[in-house]
Amino acid sequence: MHSLVAYAAEEGAAQNPLIPAWYDIIWSSLCFVIILFVFWKVALPKMKDLLDKRSAAIEGNIAKADEAQRKAEAALEEYTAQLADARKEAGQIRDAAREDGKKIVAEARDQASVEASRLIAAAHTQIEAERQSALVSLRSEVGTLALDLAGRVIGESLSDDDKAKGVVDRFLADLESSETAAK
């Protein structure tokens, strides 16, 4: 083993181990050039095509995403415009309903007022008719009672109707004039 190490040391002294032999440099350079040529002509174009396709796909997807974003924004603007129109229309309908309600209430009040006036006028008419009826009935009864009483006081019968009626009317007129003077 000693001898092998010594032989390597002698031969290594003549040649630098960091610099390869000239035939190794040529063959290595030739292999490098062939591999470089194959890589340049075959692998590099395929990689370039693959990268171009990926780039185009990414750009297409970005364009589609931008278009979708624009459509979404347009739809949102349209939706907000429709919503604003709907709110405006609802406000108009609400205002119209309020106005209609006010008109209906005013008409109902007017009708109630007219009906109340009619009922009051009918009641006044009826009361006046009943008052006149009671007054006529009272006059005849008071007249009859007054004649009977006067007949008993005087002691004679007052049977003359025209004369008795005149006395009763004069008595009642005096009574009414005294009542109005008291008020």
Side-chain angles (χ1 to χ4, degrees):
M1 180 105 161
H2 234 3
S3 63
L4 192 56
V5 173
Y7 177 70
E10 283 178 15
E11 197 167 308
Q15 191 178 22
N16 188 355
L18 293 177
I19 297 176
W22 64 272
Y23 58 89
D24 282 335
I25 292 175
I26 291 177
W27 283 111
S28 295
S29 297
L30 184 62
C31 288
F32 178 74
V33 169
I34 291 172
I35 292 172
L36 182 65
F37 181 76
V38 169
F39 182 76
W40 193 269
K41 289 296 182 182
V42 176
L44 196 58
K46 286 183 181 180
M47 293 273 276
K48 185 177 179 188
D49 288 343
L50 180 66
L51 290 175
D52 288 343
K53 286 179 184 177
R54 279 190 179 180
S55 175
I58 290 171
E59 287 175 6
N61 288 340
I62 289 173
K64 287 179 185 176
D66 289 343
E67 182 65 27
Q69 180 70 24
R70 281 192 295 275
K71 287 181 181 178
E73 288 173 357
L76 179 62
E77 288 176 9
E78 182 179 339
Y79 171 75
T80 53
Q82 288 176 351
L83 185 61
D85 290 342
R87 285 183 179 160
K88 181 179 177 184
E89 185 176 340
Q92 291 172 346
I93 290 171
R94 188 173 46 248
D95 292 342
R98 282 186 189 138
E99 290 299 319
D100 289 345
K102 288 178 183 177
K103 287 178 185 177
I104 290 170
V105 167
E107 288 175 4
R109 256 192 216 131
D110 291 343
Q111 287 178 353
S113 176
V114 167
E115 184 67 19
S117 298
R118 186 186 66 78
L119 288 175
I120 290 171
H124 283 301
T125 305
Q126 185 178 0
I127 290 170
E128 186 61 31
E130 287 178 4
R131 184 177 155 291
Q132 291 297 329
S133 171
L135 190 60
V136 167
S137 141
L138 190 62
R139 272 183 188 255
S140 66
E141 285 182 30
V142 167
T144 305
L145 288 174
L147 284 176
D148 285 343
L149 185 60
R152 286 186 189 161
V153 168
I154 297 176
E156 43 178 272
S157 173
L158 298 173
S159 59
D160 185 16
D161 284 339
D162 289 333
K163 192 181 207 182
K165 199 172 199 179
V167 169
V168 169
D169 285 340
R170 198 174 14 171
F171 173 71
L172 289 176
D174 288 340
L175 186 66
E176 284 178 3
S177 66
S178 67
E179 280 182 6
T180 50
K183 286 184 184 177

